[in-house]
Amino acid sequence: QVQLVESGGGLVQAGDSLRLSCAASGLTFSSYPMGWFRQAPGKKREFVAAISMSGGVKNYAESVRGRFTISRDNAKNTVYLQMNGLRPEDTAVYYCAADPRLGTTTARYWGQGTQVTVSS
């Protein structure tokens, strides 16, 4: 019943920006911290960003800090990831997650993922 649906991925050039969205349903959205993870071919899934239930606390991986911004709109049951200054190494499938466990790359619920490809 719980569904997390990502959108906004695509092919962009290095230096460009992209905004990912994750629409949640089947859960009390405002009761869950939310997060974004990514996985590149041949690599393990890694943490990207997380946001608290009210949006007041945010955490970022060092590799994206200063370039990416996580936000949420509880009235719309949606979490966003604004990605600026994209680099080829950002290429990966990006996953939305509810109740992420920081440091473990695990979560209670997961979306299907959306592909982000950055060309040089």
Side-chain angles (χ1 to χ4, degrees), residues 19-84:
R19 187 178 73 170
L20 305 183
S21 298
C22 172
S25 62
L27 78 168
T28 305
F29 182 73
S30 61
S31 295
Y32 289 89
M34 299 294 295
W36 289 94
F37 297 79
R38 67 187 183 186
Q39 187 168 19
K43 300 180 66 177
K44 294 183 177 180
R45 182 167 56 213
E46 66 174 340
F47 167 77
V48 175
I51 187 168
S52 61
M53 290 177 284
S54 66
V57 179
K58 302 175 182 179
N59 295 105
Y60 297 97
E62 182 63 30
S63 60
V64 307
R65 185 174 292 112
R67 298 188 298 122
F68 291 9
T69 302
I70 188 170
S71 62
R72 67 190 296 163
D73 186 339
N74 286 347
K76 296 182 178 180
N77 288 355
T78 302
V79 61
Y80 306 93
L81 184 68
Q82 178 68 44
M83 304 183 292
N84 298 328

